[in-house]
C-alpha cells in the first residue's frame, strides 16, 4: 500500500508538471507518458494501435513512443550484462558499442562483437521493469472504472480489458526467451521465401532478460536515397514486403505486429524483419472472416459483408440490421467507385472502425492489433515506394491463392449435400402449400416480423397514443369543469366551483407534463 501511495504521488507530480488542467494535446500526452515511465510508454504503444478508442492524430503521435525513449546509461548496461551473463562482459565480447542503436520502454539495443569476431546486437532489458509495471498496472486497474465513466464509453470500451491486454502483451515482451521462439517460428514460416529472413538467436548468451542476435548490416526500408544509390528497385522491395506481410496474415496466421520502418531492413538482397517482440496470432477463424470480408467487398455482396463484419466483434446492443446494411452499402459504394491504386487502407480501416463504434460492436483485441499493424504497414510501404498500394497487393494475393486453397473433394461433398437438402425440401413444398391454404381458409394466418425499425416505429406509435389519451383526458376535465361553472355548485372561488378550478388546474398540469416530456425526448 505504501508503494502504491508513493507511486501515486509520483504520477500526480508528473501530471502537475505538465499542467494537465490547462488541456492536453498529442505531443503533451507523449511527454507525460515518457515521464511516467515504461508502463505508461507501453500503454501508449498499445493505445497507438487502438484507433477505435483514440483519434487518429493521437494514435499517430503515440506511435513515436515505439522507438524514441530515453536511454539507460552505459554503466547501468554494463552492470546488467555482468549479472545476466554471470561473467565479465569484457571476457565474452571484443567490443560493445556504448551508444545504443535503439531504445524502447522495456529494453535498449547495443551493437557488439563476440570473441570469435561475429557481429551481434544485444537487447538488454531495463532492470526491475516487471515489478515497476506490476505496481503501475495495479493502480491502472483501480482507475479503470473511472476511465469508462469519464470517457462515456460504457460497455463499448472496457478499459480493464485494455489494461489486461497491456499487461499480457508486456509480460510476453519482457520474456526474451519468448521473443527468441517468435524469431524461430518466423524463420520457419519464411524459410521457403528466398527474399525474406530474420536475425539468428545466439541461445548460449540469451535468457529471459538478455537477447543476443546476429547483426544485420543493411539499409532501413525508408532510407530511399541510400537504397537508390545501392541500385535497389524500391517498388519491387515494397511489393515483396507487402506480399510477404499478406502471407503472414492469411497463410501463416502469425504476423509482425509492429512493421514500422525501423523494423524492416534490406540486407544482401533480402528483406529482414527485426524485433519480433510484438507479434500477432490470427486464428484460422479470423483468417477465414478476413477472406470473406475482402471477397464480399470485391463482389459488392453487402449481405455477406454484414455477416463478416459482425463476426469481427461482439454487439453490446441489439443490432439495427437495416441501418447497418445501409451504412455498409454506403461504405462499399464509396470504395467500389475508386481504382484499387487510389484506395487508402488507413481510411478504410477508420471507416470500418467508425461503423463498429456507431453500431455498438465491441472489437476483439486481435482484430484491433491487426488493423493497426496493417495501417502501419501501409505507411511504411508509402515511405519506400508511394505507388505500391496495400489493398491492391492484398486482393491480388488472395486471388492468386484462392484456387490453391480449394479442396475439390470437400466442395463436391458440400454441393451434393446442398442438392440433397434442396431436393428434400422441394418435395415438402406441395404439402406445406396445402397446409398454408387450409390455415388461411380458417382465418388462422399469423405473420411474425422482427425488425429494429418496426420496433422503433411501434414505440413511437405507442408514445403518440399515450399523448392522445392524455389530450382526451384534458379535454374531458376542461369540458366537465366548464359545465360545472354554469351550475350553482358551491363553495366557489373566483366565481367558479372548487371542482371546476381543480379540473382546470389538473388539465393544465397534464399539458405541461406532455410538453416537458416532448422537449426532453427531442433533446435525446
Amino acid at each position: 500500500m505504501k508503494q502504491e501511495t508513493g507511486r501515486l504521488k509520483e504520477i500526480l507530480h508528473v501530471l502537475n508538471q505538465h499542467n494537465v488542467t490547462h488541456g492536453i494535446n498529442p505531443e503533451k500526452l507523449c511527454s507525460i507518458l515518457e515521464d511516467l515511465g515504461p508502463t505508461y510508454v507501453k500503454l501508449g504503444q498499445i493505445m497507438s494501435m487502438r484507433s477505435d478508442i483514440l483519434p487518429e492524430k493521437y494514435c499517430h503521435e503515440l506511435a513515436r513512443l515505439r522507438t524514441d525513449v530515453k536511454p539507460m546509461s552505459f554503466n547501468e548496461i554494463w552492470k546488467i550484462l555482468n549479472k545476466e551473463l554471470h561473467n565479465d562482459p569484457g571476457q565474452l565480447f571484443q567490443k560493445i558499442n556504448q551508444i545504443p542503436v535503439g531504445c524502447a520502454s522495456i529494453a535498449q539495443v547495443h551493437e557488439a562483437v563476440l570473441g570469435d569476431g561475429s557481429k551481434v546486437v544485444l537487447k538488454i532489458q531495463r532492470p526491475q521493469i516487471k515489478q515497476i509495471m506490476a505496481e503501475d498496472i495495479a493502480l491502472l486497474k483501480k482507475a479503470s472504472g473511472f476511465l469508462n465513466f469519464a470517457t462515456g464509453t460504457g460497455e463499448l470500451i472496457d478499459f480493464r480489458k485494455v489494461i489486461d491486454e497491456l499487461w499480457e502483451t508486456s509480460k510476453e515482451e519482457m520474456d526474451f526467451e519468448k521473443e527468441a521462439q517468435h524469431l524461430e517460428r518466423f524463420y520457419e514460416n519464411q524459410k521457403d521465401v528466398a527474399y525474406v529472413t530474420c536475425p539468428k538467436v545466439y541461445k548460449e548468451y540469451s535468457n529471459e532478460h538478455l537477447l543476443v542476435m546476429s547483426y544485420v548490416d543493411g539499409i532501413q526500408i525508408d532510407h530511399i536515397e541510400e537504397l537508390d544509390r545501392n541500385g535497389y528497385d524500391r517498388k519491387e522491395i515494397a511489393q515483396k514486403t507487402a506480399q510477404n506481410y499478406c502471407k503472414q496474415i492469411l497463410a501463416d496466421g502469425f504476423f509482425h505486429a509492429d512493421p514500422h520502418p525501423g523494423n524492416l531492413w534490406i540486407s544482401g538482397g533480402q528483406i529482414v524483419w527485426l524485433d519480433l517482440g510484438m507479434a500477432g496470432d490470427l486464428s484460422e477463424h479470423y483468417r477465414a472472416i478476413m477472406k470473406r470480408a475482402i471477397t464480399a467487398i470485391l463482389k459488392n455482396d453487402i449481405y455477406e459483408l454484414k455477416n463478416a463484419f459482425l463476426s469481427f466483434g461482439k454487439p453490446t446492443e441489439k443490432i439495427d440490421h437495416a441501418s447497418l446494411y445501409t451504412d455498409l452499402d454506403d461504405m462499399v459504394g464509396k470504395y467500389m467507385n475508386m481504382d484499387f491504386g487510389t484506395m487508402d487502407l488507413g481510411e478504410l480501416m477508420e471507416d470500418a472502425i467508425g461503423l463498429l463504434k456507431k453500431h455498438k460492436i465491441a472489437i476483439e483485441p486481435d482484430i484491433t492489433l491487426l488493423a493497426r499493424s496493417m495501417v502501419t504497414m501501409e505507411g511504411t510501404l508509402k515511405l519506400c515506394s508511394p505507388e505500391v498500394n496495400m489493398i491492391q497487393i492484398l486482393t491480388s494475393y488472395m486471388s492468386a491463392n484462392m484456387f490453391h486453397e480449394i479442396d475439390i473433394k470437400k466442395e463436391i461433398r458440400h454441393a451434393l449435400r446442398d442438392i440433397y437438402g434442396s431436393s428434400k425440401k422441394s418435395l415438402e413444398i406441395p404439402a406445406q402449400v396445402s397446409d398454408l391454404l387450409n390455415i388461411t381458409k380458417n382465418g388462422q394466418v399469423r405473420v411474425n416480423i422482427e425488425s429494429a425499425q418496426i420496433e422503433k416505429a411501434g414505440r413511437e406509435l405507442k408514445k403518440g397514443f399515450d399523448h392522445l389519451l392524455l389530450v382526451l383526458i384534458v379535454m374531458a376535465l376542461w369540458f366537465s369543469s366548464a359545465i360545472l361553472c354554469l351550475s350553482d355548485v358551491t363553495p366557489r372561488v373566483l366565481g367558479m366551483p372548487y371542482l371546476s378550478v381543480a379540473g382546470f388546474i389538473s388539465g393544465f398540469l397534464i399539458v405541461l407534463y406532455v410538453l416537458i416530456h416532448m422537449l426532453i425526448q427531442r433533446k435525446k
Side-chain angles (χ1 to χ4, degrees):
M1 181 63 74
K2 286 182 179 179
Q3 286 180 332
E4 283 189 9
T5 305
R7 183 59 178 145
L8 187 58
K9 285 180 180 177
E10 288 177 26
I11 292 168
L12 292 173
H13 177 67
V14 170
L15 295 175
N16 185 53
Q17 277 187 323
H18 287 276
N19 294 316
V20 291
T21 54
H22 290 84
I24 198 164
N25 56 49
E27 293 77 15
K28 184 187 280 191
L29 179 59
C30 278
S31 298
I32 290 170
L33 294 175
E34 282 184 331
D35 289 346
L36 286 174
T39 309
Y40 294 88
V41 169
K42 194 69 204 166
L43 179 61
Q45 292 174 358
I46 296 289
M47 296 304 284
S48 78
M49 298 186 180
R50 299 299 298 264
S51 50
D52 57 319
I53 298 175
L54 291 177
E56 187 60 33
K57 61 181 180 179
Y58 278 87
C59 293
H60 179 74
E61 186 64 26
L62 288 172
R64 181 178 65 80
L65 293 170
R66 296 178 195 169
T67 55
D68 187 15
V69 180
K70 294 171 185 176
M72 295 182 281
S73 69
F74 188 69
N75 285 337
E76 194 170 4
I77 290 294
W78 192 267
K79 288 176 185 175
I80 295 169
L81 288 174
N82 194 58
K83 179 185 175 184
E84 296 301 331
L85 294 166
H86 305 290
N87 201 340
D88 180 1
Q91 298 293 319
L92 300 174
F93 299 96
Q94 291 183 22
K95 179 186 176 184
I96 301 174
N97 197 329
Q98 295 191 23
I99 301 171
V101 293
C103 301
S105 58
I106 287 173
Q108 69 185 49
V109 179
H110 289 257
E111 292 177 9
V113 180
L114 285 172
D116 63 2
S118 302
K119 292 187 75 174
V120 294
V121 291
L122 313 177
K123 187 172 182 180
I124 304 148
Q125 192 171 123
R126 294 176 181 269
Q128 309 265 299
I129 185 69
K130 197 165 188 176
Q131 181 184 341
I132 293 167
M133 291 189 78
E135 290 171 6
D136 285 343
I137 291 293
L139 283 172
L140 283 169
K141 277 194 172 182
K142 287 180 180 179
S144 61
F146 172 75
L147 286 172
N148 273 107
F149 173 76
T151 55
T153 54
E155 294 180 359
L156 186 58
I157 300 299
D158 186 348
F159 278 104
R160 180 172 282 270
K161 192 173 182 181
V162 173
I163 292 163
D164 287 337
E165 179 189 340
L166 158 67
W167 186 225
E168 289 305 313
T169 304
S170 299
K171 281 193 291 187
E172 190 166 306
E173 283 196 63
M174 283 186 277
D175 185 354
F176 289 172
E177 289 175 344
K178 189 76 173 178
E179 183 173 346
Q181 291 171 14
H182 285 172
L183 284 162
E184 290 175 346
R185 182 179 174 186
F186 186 89
Y187 178 82
E188 189 64 25
N189 287 344
Q190 312 304 328
K191 66 181 180 182
D192 295 328
V193 184
Y195 60 85
V196 172
T197 190
C198 66
K200 170 195 169 185
V201 178
Y202 287 81
K203 289 185 177 180
E204 62 270 33
Y205 302 113
S206 302
N207 58 37
E208 188 181 349
H209 306 114
L210 174 65
L211 189 59
V212 182
M213 299 169 286
S214 57
Y215 172 77
V216 175
D217 185 13
I219 305 167
Q220 198 166 299
I221 197 171
D222 62 334
H223 292 181
I224 57 177
E225 292 179 2
E226 198 174 348
L227 289 171
D228 291 341
R229 278 199 307 271
N230 284 270
Y232 283 108
D233 183 339
R234 287 189 285 113
K235 184 175 181 181
E236 183 186 8
I237 288 171
Q239 285 177 333
K240 286 186 173 178
T241 302
Q243 286 166 5
N244 182 250
Y245 183 70
C246 292
K247 175 185 179 293
Q248 293 174 34
I249 295 168
L250 298 175
D252 304 334
F254 179 73
F255 61 94
H256 196 301
D258 193 19
H260 65 78
N263 285 339
L264 279 161
W265 288 59
I266 310 303
S267 177
Q270 287 184 302
I271 301 161
V272 187
W273 294 77
L274 304 176
D275 192 359
L276 266 292
M278 192 182 288
D281 264 306
L282 200 63
S283 66
E284 192 173 334
H285 170 69
Y286 279 127
R287 276 182 276 158
I289 294 169
M290 266 205 73
K291 291 172 187 177
R292 279 170 52 200
I294 294 166
T295 305
I297 291 172
L298 294 175
K299 292 181 178 179
N300 197 18
D301 185 344
I302 304 302
Y303 177 76
E304 181 62 19
L305 180 60
K306 188 212 76 167
N307 291 335
F309 199 72
L310 289 173
S311 301
F312 278 126
K314 182 181 178 182
T316 59
E317 293 182 5
K318 191 167 184 178
I319 295 291
D320 183 342
H321 292 276
S323 176
L324 181 57
Y325 273 125
T326 302
D327 289 341
L328 284 171
D329 194 26
D330 290 343
M331 186 179 81
V332 172
K334 173 183 173 181
Y335 291 100
M336 286 299 291
N337 293 328
M338 291 184 184
D339 180 72
F340 272 135
T342 62
M343 282 190 189
D344 186 309
L345 182 65
E347 187 180 346
L348 177 58
M349 288 293 179
E350 285 301 306
D351 287 348
I353 288 171
L355 278 185
L356 288 167
K357 285 186 196 176
K358 179 180 176 181
H359 292 277
K360 302 293 188 294
I361 301 170
I363 312 160
E364 293 294 324
D366 288 340
I367 300 305
T368 52
L369 180 65
L370 174 63
R372 194 67 204 169
S373 174
M374 291 176 77
V375 173
T376 304
M377 183 78 259
E378 185 180 54
T380 299
L381 295 175
K382 283 181 179 177
L383 292 172
C384 178
S385 180
E387 63 268 32
V388 173
N389 183 272
M390 186 67 200
I391 293 181
Q392 199 169 25
I393 299 287
L394 187 62
T395 51
S396 298
Y397 179 88
M398 267 195 62
S399 301
N401 288 275
M402 200 172 286
F403 180 76
H404 299 292
E405 293 179 355
I406 295 175
D407 185 334
I408 300 298
K409 290 182 180 178
K410 188 176 179 181
E411 293 298 321
I412 290 172
R413 282 200 302 271
H414 282 171
L416 289 173
R417 193 183 299 123
D418 290 343
I419 291 168
Y420 172 74
S422 299
S423 302
K424 190 176 179 183
K425 286 178 182 177
S426 66
L427 292 173
E428 296 171 359
I429 289 173
Q432 290 172 350
V433 170
S434 175
D435 290 342
L436 179 62
L437 290 172
N438 285 328
I439 291 169
T440 306
K441 183 180 69 175
N442 296 328
Q444 297 173 341
V445 175
R446 182 177 176 183
V447 180
N448 292 321
I449 301 174
E450 185 177 350
S451 165
Q453 287 191 334
I454 289 175
E455 287 179 7
K456 186 178 179 182
R459 287 195 298 270
E460 294 297 325
L461 194 60
K462 185 178 180 299
K463 286 178 189 175
F465 278 127
D466 290 344
H467 290 162
L468 180 61
L469 180 62
L470 288 171
V471 168
L472 291 173
I473 291 170
V474 170
M475 287 176 66
L477 280 170
W478 285 353
F479 183 72
S480 57
S481 297
I483 291 174
L484 277 172
C485 287
L486 301 175
S487 69
D488 296 326
V489 175
T490 56
R492 304 172 77 90
V493 61
L494 299 175
M496 294 182 291
Y498 281 173
L499 287 174
S500 294
V501 173
F504 284 127
I505 291 173
S506 299
F508 174 75
L509 290 174
I510 292 171
V511 169
L512 189 62
Y513 164 77
V514 171
L515 289 173
I516 292 171
H517 186 263
M518 289 173 68
L519 285 170
I520 291 170
Q521 290 299 316
R522 192 169 296 175
K523 284 181 181 179
K524 285 183 179 179

